[in-house]
Short mmCIF file of all heavy atoms in Angstrom, two decimals:
data_model
loop_
_atom_site.label_atom_id
_atom_site.label_comp_id
_atom_site.label_asym_id
_atom_site.label_seq_id
_atom_site.Cartn_x
_atom_site.Cartn_y
_atom_site.Cartn_z
N ALA A 120 12.80 4.33 -7.73
CA ALA A 120 12.36 3.30 -6.78
C ALA A 120 11.09 3.78 -6.11
O ALA A 120 10.97 4.95 -5.74
CB ALA A 120 13.44 3.04 -5.74
N ALA A 121 10.13 2.88 -5.96
CA ALA A 121 8.86 3.24 -5.31
C ALA A 121 8.52 2.19 -4.26
O ALA A 121 8.68 0.99 -4.50
CB ALA A 121 7.74 3.35 -6.33
N SER A 122 8.07 2.67 -3.13
CA SER A 122 7.51 1.80 -2.10
C SER A 122 6.05 2.21 -1.93
O SER A 122 5.76 3.38 -1.68
CB SER A 122 8.24 1.96 -0.76
OG SER A 122 9.57 1.51 -0.88
N VAL A 123 5.17 1.24 -2.13
CA VAL A 123 3.74 1.51 -2.04
C VAL A 123 3.19 0.72 -0.86
O VAL A 123 3.37 -0.50 -0.78
CB VAL A 123 3.01 1.11 -3.34
CG1 VAL A 123 1.55 1.47 -3.26
CG2 VAL A 123 3.67 1.76 -4.55
N TYR A 124 2.57 1.43 0.05
CA TYR A 124 1.97 0.82 1.24
C TYR A 124 0.47 0.98 1.10
O TYR A 124 -0.02 2.07 0.80
CB TYR A 124 2.43 1.53 2.51
CG TYR A 124 3.92 1.64 2.65
CD1 TYR A 124 4.63 2.68 2.06
CD2 TYR A 124 4.63 0.69 3.37
CE1 TYR A 124 6.01 2.77 2.17
CE2 TYR A 124 6.01 0.78 3.49
CZ TYR A 124 6.69 1.83 2.90
OH TYR A 124 8.06 1.91 3.01
N LEU A 125 -0.26 -0.09 1.31
CA LEU A 125 -1.71 -0.02 1.27
C LEU A 125 -2.24 -0.53 2.61
O LEU A 125 -2.11 -1.70 2.94
CB LEU A 125 -2.28 -0.86 0.13
CG LEU A 125 -3.80 -0.85 0.04
CD1 LEU A 125 -4.31 0.56 -0.24
CD2 LEU A 125 -4.27 -1.80 -1.04
N GLN A 126 -2.80 0.39 3.38
CA GLN A 126 -3.37 0.02 4.67
C GLN A 126 -4.88 0.00 4.53
O GLN A 126 -5.47 0.94 3.98
CB GLN A 126 -2.96 1.02 5.74
CG GLN A 126 -3.40 0.61 7.13
CD GLN A 126 -2.85 1.55 8.19
OE1 GLN A 126 -2.95 2.76 8.07
NE2 GLN A 126 -2.29 0.97 9.23
N THR A 127 -5.51 -1.08 4.98
CA THR A 127 -6.96 -1.17 4.97
C THR A 127 -7.43 -1.39 6.39
O THR A 127 -6.81 -2.15 7.15
CB THR A 127 -7.45 -2.31 4.05
OG1 THR A 127 -6.75 -3.51 4.38
CG2 THR A 127 -7.21 -1.98 2.60
N CYS A 128 -8.52 -0.71 6.75
CA CYS A 128 -8.97 -0.73 8.14
C CYS A 128 -10.48 -0.94 8.24
O CYS A 128 -11.23 -0.54 7.36
CB CYS A 128 -8.64 0.61 8.83
SG CYS A 128 -6.89 1.02 8.83
N SER A 129 -10.87 -1.53 9.36
CA SER A 129 -12.28 -1.69 9.68
C SER A 129 -12.73 -0.49 10.52
O SER A 129 -11.91 0.35 10.92
CB SER A 129 -12.50 -2.98 10.47
OG SER A 129 -11.94 -2.84 11.77
N ALA A 130 -14.02 -0.42 10.82
CA ALA A 130 -14.55 0.67 11.64
C ALA A 130 -13.98 0.62 13.06
O ALA A 130 -13.94 1.64 13.75
CB ALA A 130 -16.07 0.60 11.69
N GLN A 131 -13.51 -0.55 13.49
CA GLN A 131 -12.92 -0.71 14.83
C GLN A 131 -11.40 -0.47 14.79
O GLN A 131 -10.70 -0.81 15.74
CB GLN A 131 -13.21 -2.11 15.39
CG GLN A 131 -14.67 -2.36 15.69
CD GLN A 131 -15.47 -2.63 14.42
OE1 GLN A 131 -14.97 -3.18 13.44
NE2 GLN A 131 -16.73 -2.21 14.43
N PHE A 132 -10.90 0.09 13.70
CA PHE A 132 -9.48 0.38 13.52
C PHE A 132 -8.60 -0.87 13.58
O PHE A 132 -7.46 -0.80 14.00
CB PHE A 132 -8.99 1.45 14.51
CG PHE A 132 -9.71 2.74 14.36
CD1 PHE A 132 -10.66 3.14 15.27
CD2 PHE A 132 -9.45 3.55 13.26
CE1 PHE A 132 -11.35 4.32 15.11
CE2 PHE A 132 -10.13 4.74 13.09
CZ PHE A 132 -11.08 5.13 14.02
N GLN A 133 -9.13 -1.99 13.14
CA GLN A 133 -8.32 -3.17 12.93
C GLN A 133 -7.77 -3.03 11.51
O GLN A 133 -8.54 -3.03 10.55
CB GLN A 133 -9.13 -4.46 13.07
CG GLN A 133 -9.56 -4.73 14.49
CD GLN A 133 -10.36 -6.01 14.59
OE1 GLN A 133 -11.12 -6.34 13.70
NE2 GLN A 133 -10.17 -6.72 15.69
N CYS A 134 -6.46 -2.88 11.41
CA CYS A 134 -5.85 -2.55 10.13
C CYS A 134 -4.81 -3.59 9.72
O CYS A 134 -4.17 -4.20 10.57
CB CYS A 134 -5.17 -1.18 10.19
SG CYS A 134 -6.28 0.17 10.61
N THR A 135 -4.67 -3.75 8.43
CA THR A 135 -3.61 -4.58 7.87
C THR A 135 -2.91 -3.75 6.80
O THR A 135 -3.49 -2.82 6.23
CB THR A 135 -4.16 -5.87 7.25
OG1 THR A 135 -5.08 -5.53 6.23
CG2 THR A 135 -4.82 -6.74 8.29
N THR A 136 -1.66 -4.10 6.51
CA THR A 136 -0.87 -3.36 5.54
C THR A 136 -0.22 -4.30 4.55
O THR A 136 0.29 -5.35 4.93
CB THR A 136 0.23 -2.53 6.25
OG1 THR A 136 -0.38 -1.67 7.21
CG2 THR A 136 1.02 -1.70 5.26
N VAL A 137 -0.27 -3.93 3.29
CA VAL A 137 0.41 -4.64 2.21
C VAL A 137 1.47 -3.68 1.69
O VAL A 137 1.20 -2.50 1.48
CB VAL A 137 -0.57 -5.01 1.08
CG1 VAL A 137 0.16 -5.66 -0.08
CG2 VAL A 137 -1.67 -5.91 1.60
N ILE A 138 2.69 -4.19 1.48
CA ILE A 138 3.80 -3.36 1.01
C ILE A 138 4.31 -3.92 -0.31
O ILE A 138 4.51 -5.13 -0.44
CB ILE A 138 4.95 -3.33 2.03
CG1 ILE A 138 4.45 -2.79 3.37
CG2 ILE A 138 6.11 -2.49 1.51
CD1 ILE A 138 5.44 -2.97 4.50
N ASN A 139 4.53 -3.03 -1.28
CA ASN A 139 5.08 -3.42 -2.57
C ASN A 139 6.24 -2.50 -2.89
O ASN A 139 6.05 -1.31 -3.11
CB ASN A 139 4.00 -3.32 -3.66
CG ASN A 139 4.51 -3.78 -5.01
OD1 ASN A 139 5.56 -4.38 -5.13
ND2 ASN A 139 3.74 -3.49 -6.04
N ASN A 140 7.46 -3.05 -2.90
CA ASN A 140 8.65 -2.29 -3.31
C ASN A 140 8.89 -2.62 -4.77
O ASN A 140 9.03 -3.78 -5.14
CB ASN A 140 9.85 -2.69 -2.45
CG ASN A 140 9.65 -2.30 -1.01
OD1 ASN A 140 9.34 -1.16 -0.70
ND2 ASN A 140 9.82 -3.26 -0.11
N THR A 141 8.96 -1.58 -5.60
CA THR A 141 9.04 -1.80 -7.03
C THR A 141 9.84 -0.68 -7.69
O THR A 141 10.22 0.29 -7.05
CB THR A 141 7.62 -1.88 -7.64
OG1 THR A 141 7.71 -2.26 -9.00
CG2 THR A 141 6.87 -0.57 -7.51
N GLU A 142 10.08 -0.82 -8.96
CA GLU A 142 10.71 0.24 -9.76
C GLU A 142 9.66 0.74 -10.75
O GLU A 142 8.97 -0.07 -11.37
CB GLU A 142 11.91 -0.31 -10.51
CG GLU A 142 12.68 0.75 -11.28
CD GLU A 142 13.94 0.21 -11.92
OE1 GLU A 142 14.77 -0.38 -11.20
OE2 GLU A 142 14.09 0.37 -13.15
N ILE A 143 9.52 2.05 -10.85
CA ILE A 143 8.58 2.63 -11.80
C ILE A 143 9.34 3.57 -12.72
O ILE A 143 10.45 4.00 -12.43
CB ILE A 143 7.42 3.37 -11.10
CG1 ILE A 143 7.94 4.55 -10.26
CG2 ILE A 143 6.60 2.41 -10.25
CD1 ILE A 143 6.82 5.43 -9.69
#
Side-chain angles (χ1 to χ4, degrees):
S122 294
V123 183
Y124 307 85
L125 179 63
Q126 186 174 49
T127 50
C128 301
S129 69
Q131 293 76 32
F132 300 105
Q133 290 180 324
C134 301
T135 59
T136 303
V137 176
I138 301 169
N139 182 12
N140 295 308
T141 187
E142 184 175 306
I143 61 173

